[in-house]
Amino acid sequence: MKLILLGPPGAGKGTQAKRIEKDYGLVQLSTGDMLRAAVAAGTDVGREARDVMTAGRLVPDDVVVSIIAERIDKPDCAKGFILDGFPRTLAQAESLDKMLSEKGGGIDRVIEIKVDPDALIERIAGRFSCSGCGAAYHDRFNPPKVADVCDICGGTKFLRRPDDSAETVGARLAAYDDETAPLLPYYRALGVLRSVDGMAGIDEVTRGVRGAINGAGGD
Ligand code: AMP
């Protein structure tokens, strides 16, 4: 099973990917997480990506395509994967199709998480994650059960992404509209697109995502 979660920043792709990866034995592949790790490690890719990410723009296609090409060849991806934050441009989608067809496969399902644009800024501004295990939280919509303690690993250190700042969010949303939204008609034409209402509560969205994975056909 090869899935893509598609939607603007703040739609809940990462949260949903983490929830469904265990149920289906899939691996979450987040290019954002991989790039943040490269920045933290100070690799060549990280140095190239850092300023672009801080400005809320997209990292060049060839950089992310080669990261993904290398990653999906690893043994843990053999049972399938959930792409979260990739592809983000038509050129990336076409490279992915080529990569997968060379291995004799293709994308099984693209799940669009649809969210009202007005809700995105509040969602992004309030989010944070556990620095130990990466579990995602939100000040208002999904706080830890015990304040300042991670529900999953008990950790007490949390991170807020620098690119979730008010200055950067506008550029990230514009990049989605200009470069990523055109992927919707692309995948609709391939018959693999399903849309889920991302404005519902987190559990209900997960049910919608499961339904979209299990159901037949496209939108
Ligand atoms: P994300 O964690 O998915 O919101 O990604 C954070 C940032 O990483 C984005 O704003 C981009 O600067 C960069 N990035 C992540 N994935 C991609 C991609 N597929 N193509 C280009 N840039 C990306």
Side-chain angles (χ1 to χ4, degrees):
M1 173 79 75
K2 300 177 210 69
L3 298 178
I4 295 173
L5 290 184
L6 203 58
K13 301 183 297 295
T15 301
Q16 295 300 330
K18 284 198 175 58
R19 286 173 155 226
I20 57 175
E21 65 173 345
K22 292 185 203 82
D23 306 355
Y24 290 86
L26 305 173
V27 190
Q28 175 193 11
L29 303 181
S30 157
T31 39
D33 285 349
M34 294 174 203
L35 290 167
R36 280 185 285 279
V39 170
T43 64
D44 290 346
V45 165
R47 273 193 293 277
E48 190 178 345
R50 193 187 56 195
D51 292 347
V52 178
M53 292 171 77
T54 306
R57 296 196 312 270
L58 295 184
V59 171
D61 289 333
D62 58 330
V63 174
V64 281
V65 165
S66 58
I67 291 178
I68 284 292
E70 208 177 288
R71 186 64 188 86
I72 63 176
D73 265 346
K74 299 250 159 75
D76 63 338
C77 289
K79 275 178 76 182
F81 47 79
I82 309 163
L83 290 167
D84 156 16
F86 180 93
R88 256 179 160 96
T89 65
L90 277 173
Q92 291 177 22
E94 284 162 4
S95 300
L96 176 66
D97 283 349
K98 194 157 168 272
M99 236 181 262
L100 296 178
S101 69
E102 278 162 8
K103 296 179 203 296
I107 287 295
D108 298 292
R109 192 74 79 222
V110 178
I111 302 171
E112 176 197 13
I113 305 184
K114 273 186 136 153
V115 178
D116 177 354
D118 292 340
L120 293 172
I121 299 209
E122 189 188 8
R123 284 188 175 203
I124 293 171
R127 66 186 185 178
F128 57 98
S129 61
C130 171
S131 66
C133 71
Y137 296 100
H138 190 281
D139 292 322
R140 204 173 131 209
F141 305 123
N142 181 32
K145 291 191 181 76
V146 175
D148 302 326
V149 180
C150 177
D151 297 349
I152 308 295
C153 74
T156 53
K157 279 208 181 125
F158 296 91
L159 298 169
R160 288 183 193 258
R161 284 169 47 175
D163 62 344
D164 281 347
S165 66
E167 305 85 69
T168 308
V169 165
R172 292 170 61 205
L173 295 176
Y176 179 80
D177 288 341
D178 296 345
E179 313 239 32
T180 310
L183 298 181
L184 295 167
Y186 176 84
Y187 285 120
R188 188 172 292 117
L190 294 178
V192 291
L193 182 71
R194 305 274 296 217
S195 297
V196 166
D197 175 14
M199 293 301 288
I202 295 175
D203 290 344
E204 207 178 321
V205 178
T206 307
R207 276 193 288 280
V209 171
R210 287 206 189 100
I213 294 172
N214 299 334
D219 264 12

